[in-house]
């Protein structure tokens, strides 16, 4: 038990470091760390099982700073705990190029940070994935080696964002009782008092979603500690509304949005130092406070060592599996199984929708890759995301590996980010491609953080037919290809689907997205090849190395391109077809391969039932594009492709006409 | 008062038409219309003030089918009411190309439909805008001519989507008591029973957000009517949870997801006909039922005529203003004011951020365009979206024209769609450009429906600096340009900002998005021109018609391009700079203008602090692109542009090197 006065000084150390770092940077958010310093001190000194020297210990508690703008709260604490990464020098470099202390916490950049936050609401939504991964892993490996909590600090913004609803509804339903959310209830947002824009009763709201929820005084550390104890003892997830004052200590800017998002200024800081009885110069921590924080850091070493002893005592195969899972290494039989499966496809040539061949791939994969955790945003029978071996995960059975995420595309995607970042699982989840828009903020975070999440997005064009333009993606392939570090696959047949799954699962540092058809497609890769051709991003699928016309296409339109090739040949010209399952991978190939694949045909045509944006890289801005330039329409697929002019005839005619005009 | 047995038959007519249309189309969603037919019958026969012959009557009640997949509910009712657009022939053409009965309701396609739904949650979120527009208009024009309700039918999916939280929190806060939501509480989603994915107490949830909420039996029409009466009498928005059975009447598929999204089949339909005592052939409505629905249709004619009399009695200037507003015609002094303002900018040359010059434009515009309703998702002081004359709108004062939307980018955008589609207002709202991802599903609906919403998105590049990659848009310009029917503007200076605002306000059938800088930018248009040059999409801003090098740039990078031009000239070569404020408008220009503007320079360079995707249309796939290919980083702007190589030196050097290699 730390002396209360010393503990106050420990909290004030956070406040001072936050003020001073923001002041030095002339940029940042001092208000939240100053308001929540006492709550955070209670959490880190009394509860958070975290060994700063071993930040990757699998059974550590996870701490998610959903209110990511308050990054100095986290950086200050890491420094005070003695992090070798977030040092005092780094605090002095807050928000500078290459520092370990960027404006918002970045787990891909700074060791000791669990996830990347800043886009509001998503830390909370990812925490559901963290907490779920813990329960799933415990169900699989036992609570003796998996038994930790997920703690979240969330702000008003997090709770106003829509994704918070999806997150808390799902967490309450799944009874994730080891998820504990500390809400910084300071009643201030950027525009002013929360009265400007909300009147919600958050405690009642969380209770309605199956949570514990209660109010505490965020400066009463014993009350905070007691509330956390109650939360830990509960069979539900818990939200603790911590009444605080933003910028606590600042003489004129406390309790005002003036302390939210900019440096306080020298006068205000001097006043705060006085109010907080903190006479030390900037970036100086007195020895007693420093020692107390270092003692806190040491507190969990024994727990970690005890865990290591328990882990060492487990069966060899359990240990190796656990390590394999946290190392993100696929099972040894993975490659051979994919190879055999691909061979069977080239043999049997199933003419099925790529969503269906994805399901066939999943039937095989889920049997051999136990880390696969699937799900859908309530479109299981449409996305075909459930592998045969998968049982549903329920509040009473966390050993299921299929999650009914509900109609929550964004919440699902954020949860998958959390599952992936927790470690131990390879999450994938489905929705319609058009609803990638709903999930987009989370897809971006997958990409930014390098979380190996796999998005299974079906009904990938006007080919979905009658549901009409609200459900027909047109701009989505381009918009998704625009995201850095995301591999977007649009496989043309069952073989390319298998290859896309293989690449996605082997990509352990970036997310992948599979755009899959509703309609049936023939197998075009009728000759088995051991090589994963899709890994080249684009390759010659039909025809000679050189020809009068090169047709580039993806997904369901590769068949159209192949048919167009036949029509061009019937007219006495030559043609070749390049399948382009993944733009991103193609542009990573060497120049010679790119040049040979694109070829030097006089006429280049791209066929994709989507917009042109991005295709000029293949066909040039004078190339022929057969695709969409408007939103779609509600009609059967048989009517839509001709209506929008996406046919083999249209492609062949345009190519031949261009050839004639060129000669 | 309609005889209860007849009223049952009126409801069954909806059920039969829904079954039969879906069956004929072999595609669609019969379950929801069959479950909600009684609720809908009560609503349309007893409450909804709607003259089917005058579907644009401004004071009609608005009906929003948020569960848009149940479109046959709405189409059936429109047909039964005697719509001249949605006829029995159109029901027989359900989901066929060019029919007035597409898979999901499309207000831009079918008269009598208030808005476009299908993407779940958004109908509910738009309804907040509809209800708010009604209150704002009533505050301005008086309740004698503006006094109507907004009714919503929402499904489980709508209430699971995150945007529902943003919507109900905002509606509760704003006390929109004329908003009444009927929840189809059938406990079935596509994956199965709602128990699979949710345990929320929706009534408690709505109450926590300041709503009335209660349960009723959705087949007890008197109970439904009584609940609607209570809702109408309330000072809060109301949610009525109507317990129903999906596919009601179907012998084996009722109460199961089997009746949700596909045709029931002949046997099931025959069984339903028997169960419902509905012996009539498909698409046949018996006379008594037909007459009863036509009587319902006539019920509101007197109300409309009374309204017209009240309206006719109002002052001339009120009437003309009201008509102007619903006709989407700008005030007569608009053009002259913009012209004078543009002249003053060219004279005074304010070197300010484009977000600041947008604020300056708004100070002017909000004084002369009373239909402008502004707001921000809690970034007012950053987006600079509040015009000087604007007072905040509050629950107690709907005459304010500035809305604190809270931290709800999606909810704000959907509400703006609702405001625009209600009529009478020109909504605009702000957030950071990177958070366009959060709003993207609503931006898409703005574009699809042609709602003239204006998105003000600031901090439009790595130029925002220290907040880092979570806050720095990189792919967003490309991703937004990908959306059909959306004009994306990235103005280079205060003059282009004024021109973008002018075009956006004059565009009454498409949304616009302004991407604005955080950092200061010089006025480059120092010579006043009456012509709105931005309306060309791209134009020569500096240099000769032909030159060795053409530099294309947008926004903050036009200054860099101008500086690069000077460096190229210093090296003895010629250069010209094309500003590209709007891709979409440029590609609508005639070919001659496009060709002349792009020019025939040997070397073409594009400069934009974003990804290349889309730029090949200007520079070709062999052109030089100076921009981003990765996510950004946290650092001051002065460090970031050089770090990512986006400088005048880099652009000039690359151009000169290419020129040298070409000769």
């Amino acid at each position: 038990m730390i002396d209360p006065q010393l503990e106050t000084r420990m909290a004030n150390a956070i406040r001072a470091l936050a003020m001073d770092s923001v002041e030095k940077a002339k940029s940042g958010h001092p208000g939240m760390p100053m308001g929540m310093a006492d709550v955070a001190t209670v959490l880190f000194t009394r509860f958070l099982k975290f060994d700063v020297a071993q930040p990757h210990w699998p059974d550590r508690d996870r701490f998610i700073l959903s209110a990511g703008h308050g990054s100095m709260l986290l950086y200050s604490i890491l420094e005070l705990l003695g992090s070798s990464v977030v040092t005092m020098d780094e605090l002095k470099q807050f928000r500078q190029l290459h520092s370990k202390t960027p404006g918002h916490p970045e787990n891909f950049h700074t060791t000791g940070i669990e996830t990347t936050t800043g886009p509001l609401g998503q830390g909370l939504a990812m925490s559901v994935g963290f907490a779920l991964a813990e329960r799933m892993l415990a169900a699989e490996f036992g609570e003796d080696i998996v038994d930790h909590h997920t703690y979240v600090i969330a702000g008003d913004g997090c709770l106003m964002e829509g994704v918070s609803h999806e997150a808390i509804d799902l967490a309450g339903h799944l009874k994730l009782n080891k998820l504990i959310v500390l809400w910084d209830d300071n009643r201030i947002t950027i525009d002013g008092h929360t009265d400007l824009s909300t009147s919600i009763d958050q405690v009642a709201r969380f209770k309605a979603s199956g949570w514990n929820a209660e109010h505490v005084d965020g400066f009463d550390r014993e009350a905070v500690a007691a509330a956390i104890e109650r939360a830990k003892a509960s069979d539900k997830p818990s939200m603790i509304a911590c009444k605080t004052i933003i910028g606590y200590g600042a003489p004129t800017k406390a309790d005002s949005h003036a302390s939210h998002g900019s440096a306080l200024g020298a006068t205000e800081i001097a006043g705060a130092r006085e109010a907080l009885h903190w006479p030390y110069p900037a970036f100086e921590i007195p020895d007693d406070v420093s020692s107390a924080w270092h003692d806190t850091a040491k507190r969990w070493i024994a727990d970690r060592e005890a865990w290591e002893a328990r882990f060492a005592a487990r069966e060899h195969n359990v240990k190796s599996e656990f390590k394999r899972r946290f190392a993100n290494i696929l099972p040894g039989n993975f490659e051979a199984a994919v190879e055999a499966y691909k061979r069977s496809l080239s043999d049997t040539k199933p003419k099925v929708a790529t969503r269906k061949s994805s399901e066939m791939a999943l039937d095989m994969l889920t049997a051999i890759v136990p880390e696969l955790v699937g799900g859908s945003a309530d479109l299981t029978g449409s996305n075909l995301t459930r592998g045969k071996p998968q049982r549903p995960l329920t509040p009473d059975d966390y050993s299921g590996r299929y999650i009914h995420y509900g109609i929550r595309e964004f919440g699902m995607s954020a949860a998958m980010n959390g599952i992936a970042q927790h470690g131990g699982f390879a999450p994938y989840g489905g929705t319609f491609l058009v609803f990638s828009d709903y999930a987009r903020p989370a897809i971006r975070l997958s990409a930014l953080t390098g979380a190996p999440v796999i998005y299974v997005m079906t009904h990938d064009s006007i080919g979905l037919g009658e549901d009409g333009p609200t459900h027909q993606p047109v701009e989505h392939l381009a918009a998704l290809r625009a995201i850095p570090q995301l591999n977007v696959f649009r496989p043309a047949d069952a073989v390319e689907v298998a290859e896309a799954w293989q690449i996605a699962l082997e990509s352990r540092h970036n997310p992948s997205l599979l755009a899959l058809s509703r309609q049936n497609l023939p197998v075009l890769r009728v000759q088995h090849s051991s090589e994963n051709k899709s890994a080249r991003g684009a390759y010659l699928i039909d025809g000679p190395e050189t020809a009068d016309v090169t047709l580039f296409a993806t997904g369901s339109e590769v068949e159209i391109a192949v048919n167009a090739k036949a029509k061009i040949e019937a007219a006495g010209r030559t043609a070749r077809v390049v399948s382009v399952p993944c733009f991103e991978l193609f542009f990573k190939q060497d120049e010679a391969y790119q040049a040979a694949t694109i070829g030097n045909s006089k006429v280049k045509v791209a066929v994709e039932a989507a917009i042109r944006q991005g295709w000029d890289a293949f066909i040039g801005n004078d190339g022929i594009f057969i695709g969409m330039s408007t939103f779609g329409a509600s009609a059967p697929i048989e009517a839509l492709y001709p209506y929008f002019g996406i046919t083999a005839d249209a492609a062949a005619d345009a190519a031949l006409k261009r050839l004639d005009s060129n000669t």
Side-chain angles (χ1 to χ4, degrees), chain A:
Chain A
M1 188 74 194
I2 302 167
D3 169 77
Q5 288 188 345
L6 178 57
E7 209 174 32
T8 298
R9 288 160 57 74
M10 290 173 77
N12 284 338
I14 298 171
R15 294 187 171 99
L17 289 174
M19 282 195 303
D20 293 340
S21 297
V22 172
E23 189 66 16
K24 185 159 191 302
K26 300 275 172 238
S27 162
H29 300 78
M32 188 285 237
M34 295 174 78
M36 284 294 277
D38 284 284
V39 172
T41 300
V42 170
L43 179 62
F44 276 81
T45 59
R46 307 193 200 185
F47 294 97
L48 197 93
K49 190 172 72 168
F50 175 70
D51 182 352
V52 73
Q54 296 284 340
H56 300 297
W57 172 30
D59 200 36
R60 69 191 182 278
D61 286 343
R62 287 354 185 233
F63 173 68
I64 315 288
L65 186 70
S66 191
H69 54 273
S71 58
M72 271 310 304
L73 179 85
L74 185 45
Y75 297 149
S76 300
I77 292 172
L78 287 172
E79 194 286 329
L80 290 165
L81 290 171
S83 163
S84 62
V85 173
V86 182
T87 61
M88 196 63 87
D89 281 348
E90 293 291 338
L91 297 193
K92 291 175 185 167
Q93 291 297 308
F94 181 51
R95 294 180 154 237
Q96 305 307 303
L97 196 60
H98 304 311
S99 80
K100 290 296 175 188
T101 49
H104 293 79
E106 298 174 1
N107 65 314
F108 56 94
H109 182 76
T110 307
T111 301
I113 305 286
E114 299 292 356
T115 188
T116 296
T117 50
L120 292 178
Q122 288 200 68
L124 174 61
M126 288 189 283
S127 77
V128 176
F130 277 92
L132 186 55
E134 191 269 347
R135 287 293 79 199
M136 291 193 293
L137 214 56
E140 189 171 350
F141 290 94
E143 300 221 339
D144 57 329
I145 56 171
V146 183
D147 180 13
H148 54 266
H149 284 79
T150 301
Y151 293 98
V152 179
I153 288 181
D156 288 302
C158 294
L159 300 194
M160 289 172 85
E161 288 287 356
V163 73
S164 67
H165 169 60
E166 302 183 19
I168 72 172
D169 192 0
L170 184 59
H173 173 69
L174 292 175
K175 293 194 167 51
L176 298 176
N177 67 322
K178 297 174 83 174
L179 174 60
I180 299 174
V181 175
L182 302 153
W183 169 35
D184 179 16
D185 178 16
N186 65 26
R187 303 278 155 165
I188 297 292
T189 70
I190 290 176
D191 272 10
H193 198 276
T194 51
D195 283 358
L196 285 173
S197 57
T198 186
S199 308
I200 198 169
D201 177 343
Q202 292 286 5
V203 164
R205 173 198 176 199
F206 275 78
K207 285 183 175 170
S209 291
W211 289 52
N212 286 315
E214 61 172 301
H215 291 284
V216 298
D217 176 347
F219 300 111
D220 181 345
R221 290 189 300 267
E222 298 313 315
V224 171
I228 296 176
E229 290 290 3
R230 282 190 291 275
K232 288 182 71 172
S234 164
D235 61 350
K236 301 173 181 176
S238 295
M239 190 280 274
I240 303 167
C242 306
K243 188 93 189 68
T244 66
I245 295 166
I246 192 170
Y248 178 80
T252 72
K253 295 184 176 177
D255 202 22
S256 151
H257 59 130
S259 70
H260 167 79
S262 44
L264 295 176
T267 314
E268 191 76 5
I269 288 180
R273 283 194 138 71
E274 206 166 325
L276 298 168
H277 308 292
W278 189 264
Y280 317 103
F283 299 108
E284 272 194 36
I285 305 297
D287 287 345
D288 63 329
V289 172
S290 186
S291 298
W293 274 107
H294 287 156
D295 288 347
T296 287
K298 288 180 206 134
R299 175 171 171 180
W300 302 106
I301 294 174
D303 285 73
R304 178 177 53 76
E305 288 172 348
W307 180 88
E308 280 164 359
R310 288 197 303 279
F311 185 74
R314 289 293 298 268
E315 307 85 325
H316 174 74
N317 61 341
V318 171
K319 283 186 289 193
S320 61
E321 175 69 2
F322 191 87
K323 283 181 191 165
R324 182 185 75 75
R325 298 277 286 274
F326 270 89
N328 268 344
I329 297 165
L330 286 163
N333 58 343
F334 175 75
E335 254 183 88
V338 172
E339 165 83 14
Y341 173 66
K342 268 176 62 180
R343 187 182 298 276
S344 76
L345 293 174
S346 292
D347 288 349
T348 59
K349 305 174 190 58
K351 183 173 178 170
V352 294
T354 49
R355 62 176 173 145
K356 178 66 186 172
S357 50
S358 172
E359 182 184 50
M360 290 157 51
L362 282 171
D363 286 343
M364 181 270 291
L365 292 167
T366 50
I368 62 164
V369 184
E371 56 266 42
L372 273 172
V373 178
S376 167
D378 195 51
L379 288 168
T380 297
S382 297
N383 301 144
L384 303 179
T385 31
R386 185 168 164 186
K388 271 207 188 81
Q390 289 177 321
R391 286 181 298 107
L393 180 142
T394 71
D396 305 315
D397 180 7
Y398 295 117
S399 72
R401 289 294 172 265
Y402 192 80
I403 303 172
H404 290 284
Y405 282 108
I407 300 147
R408 304 182 183 107
E409 301 81 8
F410 190 3
M412 170 179 75
S413 305
M416 291 198 293
N417 282 337
I419 292 170
Q421 290 167 0
H422 178 278
F425 293 102
Y428 69 89
T431 185
F432 289 157
L433 181 60
V434 79
F435 299 135
S436 63
D437 280 351
Y438 279 69
R440 196 169 168 89
I443 298 173
R444 186 176 208 257
L445 270 191
S446 305
L448 178 61
T449 63
V453 170
I454 302 173
Y455 295 93
V456 181
M457 301 218 158
T458 70
H459 297 60
D460 68 350
S461 74
I462 54 166
L464 71 82
E466 294 89 343
D467 274 345
T470 57
H471 284 56
Q472 290 166 353
V474 167
E475 72 277 26
H476 298 78
L477 290 169
L480 290 162
R481 289 175 184 143
I483 299 177
Q485 298 174 203
L486 171 68
N487 282 343
V488 178
F489 294 91
R490 191 161 187 252
D493 70 0
V495 177
E496 283 194 3
V497 166
E499 291 181 340
W501 269 107
Q502 179 176 21
I503 301 163
L505 284 168
E506 287 174 352
S507 300
R508 303 324 291 159
H509 300 290
N510 64 266
S512 301
L513 185 144
L514 278 62
L516 303 173
S517 76
R518 181 188 184 208
Q519 69 269 38
N520 289 342
L521 302 175
V523 169
L524 299 168
R525 291 272 296 280
V526 290
Q527 291 247 264
H528 173 63
S529 116
S530 294
E531 186 197 347
N532 186 320
K533 293 194 176 193
S534 300
R536 292 285 205 166
Y539 64 95
L540 185 65
I541 195 168
D542 191 17
E545 293 294 325
T546 60
D548 296 328
V549 177
T550 296
L551 297 137
F552 301 87
T554 74
S556 43
E557 284 74 70
V558 178
E559 182 187 11
I560 292 175
V562 168
N563 292 338
K565 170 176 170 284
K567 288 172 194 285
I568 291 165
E569 287 169 346
R573 302 294 198 145
T574 58
R576 57 199 285 273
V577 177
V578 173
S579 180
V580 190
C582 182
F583 278 40
E584 296 77 15
L585 291 175
F586 179 68
F587 292 113
K588 284 183 183 157
Q589 305 302 308
D590 60 52
E591 277 186 36
Y593 180 81
Q594 288 190 38
T597 305
I598 290 180
N600 53 9
S601 296
K602 278 172 285 210
V603 172
K604 298 198 181 81
V605 182
V607 192
E608 185 168 69
I611 62 161
R612 177 175 186 134
Q613 191 187 92
W615 276 105
D616 287 4
F618 289 87
I619 59 173
N621 57 14
D622 56 349
I624 296 168
F625 184 71
I626 302 292
M628 300 289 293
S629 61
T630 63
F631 290 109
S634 170
I637 178 173
E638 296 75 19
L640 286 173
Y641 271 81
Y643 177 68
F644 287 109
I646 306 172
T647 62
D649 280 339
D653 290 352
L656 291 168
K657 196 171 152 197
R658 183 71 65 89
L659 271 178
D660 289 341
S661 74
N662 282 1
T663 48

